[in-house]
Amino acid sequence: MKYDQIAVLIPAYKPDERLITLVDELRAAGFTRIVVIDDGGGQAYRHIFDALDGKADVLVHEVNRGKGVGLKTGLEYIRKWPGVGVVTADCDGQHTPADCRKIADALLAEPDALILGSRDKRQMPPRSKAGNTLTCGVFALLTGLRISDTQTGLRGLPACALERFSRLDGDRYEYEINMLIDASRIPLPVREVTIETIYIDNNSSSHFHAIRDGLRIYALMFRQAGKFLCSAVLCTLLEYLLYVVL
């Protein structure tokens, strides 16, 4: 099979039936290795994961531990398959099977690179666009690596980096930015692939908390690249937080 050397990793916290649909469509698209993380949603969501029996490997956190921990749990599990790269996808319908295939194809073509599925900011809701644009600018200032969508969850992770990525700091959404910081340091080639920009109900199903998780992301960036810290960046961060609050 074309995607035998690719595993799809889906962290899921309190998902709905869209997760079942995604797994079914991924299997139809040729993905045979699918790993889903039940991140402590509880008994109320057990039927969703039970419906994946025989379709995906489901790993369970008894309590919610965050997206970053979920991804690392999955990476540790996938490492038992030598030479297998990983496509990470969200469970809420914002990442299509077609785009997962685009990321997988790019990873197969360049198996030692980090592949990012980049969205069109012009199609994002205003708050998401503002936050993403600012984060991209600060990230470029601190690391020297210019990326057009630092917050994308649809990524292709090379097999050679899984052990390293599985040990990075970050329990929640800040883990994904730490992955990019680490890639800039190795250095690991980073490639961007254009994907659909999908926001369902203005992203109402997202568990991202703008202030709490935003502060975690920026705190990690400044901690990891503290020598580049300057007053201009702090002012920009303050403007972003005021925008979110107001």
Side-chain angles (χ1 to χ4, degrees):
M1 294 289 290
K2 181 177 181 181
Y3 297 123
D4 279 352
Q5 291 303 108
I6 298 291
V8 181
L9 173 57
I10 309 171
Y13 177 57
K14 296 183 176 181
D16 57 25
E17 285 75 10
R18 286 177 291 190
L19 173 59
I20 302 172
T21 299
L22 175 60
V23 169
D24 286 340
E25 291 179 345
L26 287 170
R27 287 173 57 83
F31 293 99
T32 58
R33 303 181 192 267
I34 302 174
V35 179
V36 176
I37 310 300
D38 173 2
D39 192 23
Q43 192 59 38
Y45 297 87
R46 188 68 258 162
H47 67 287
I48 298 292
F49 297 101
D50 287 343
L52 303 180
D53 186 36
K55 301 176 182 179
D57 294 358
V58 178
L59 310 180
V60 180
H61 290 164
E62 294 302 326
V63 297
N64 177 243
R65 299 179 64 190
K67 186 178 184 182
V69 176
L71 289 169
K72 287 185 280 188
T73 295
L75 294 182
E76 284 286 359
Y77 181 82
I78 291 167
R79 284 179 55 209
K80 72 179 184 179
W81 298 318
V84 171
V86 177
V87 171
T88 64
D90 293 344
C91 68
D92 56 4
Q94 296 196 53
H95 298 149
T96 68
D99 281 334
C100 290
R101 290 185 65 177
K102 288 176 68 174
I103 299 300
D105 289 342
L107 186 57
L108 289 172
E110 198 168 357
D112 294 326
L114 172 63
I115 312 297
L116 303 179
S118 297
R119 299 160 295 177
D120 185 348
K121 288 191 180 70
R122 295 171 297 180
Q123 299 179 34
M124 293 180 179
R127 189 171 73 171
S128 297
K129 177 181 178 180
N132 201 330
T133 300
L134 178 64
T135 304
C136 289
V138 174
F139 181 84
L141 178 64
L142 295 178
T143 67
L145 179 62
R146 294 194 174 276
I147 295 173
S148 64
D149 187 358
T150 56
Q151 297 179 9
T152 179
L154 184 56
R155 303 180 177 193
L157 315 183
C160 64
L162 296 191
E163 180 177 6
R164 185 181 181 98
F165 285 166
S166 69
R167 306 192 190 288
L168 292 176
D169 290 339
D171 291 348
R172 298 186 180 276
Y173 293 94
E174 74 276 11
Y175 168 76
E176 292 177 303
I177 204 76
N178 202 14
M179 183 187 295
L180 299 181
I181 293 171
D182 194 60
S184 73
R185 287 178 169 177
I186 297 176
L188 188 70
V190 178
R191 306 288 182 255
E192 295 189 81
V193 175
T194 301
I195 62 172
E196 283 192 70
T197 306
I198 301 174
Y199 282 84
I200 300 172
D201 295 330
N202 202 32
N203 211 25
S204 60
S205 64
S206 174
H207 298 288
F208 182 87
H209 189 283
I211 296 178
R212 181 193 63 202
D213 292 314
L215 284 172
R216 283 184 175 136
I217 288 171
Y218 280 92
L220 187 145
M221 281 199 293
F222 289 132
R223 185 170 67 248
Q224 296 289 354
K227 65 181 180 179
F228 299 106
L229 185 61
C230 63
S231 59
V233 176
L234 286 175
C235 290
T236 304
L237 173 58
L238 178 61
E239 290 175 1
Y240 165 66
L241 293 178
L242 287 174
Y243 177 86
V244 170
V245 172
L246 297 176

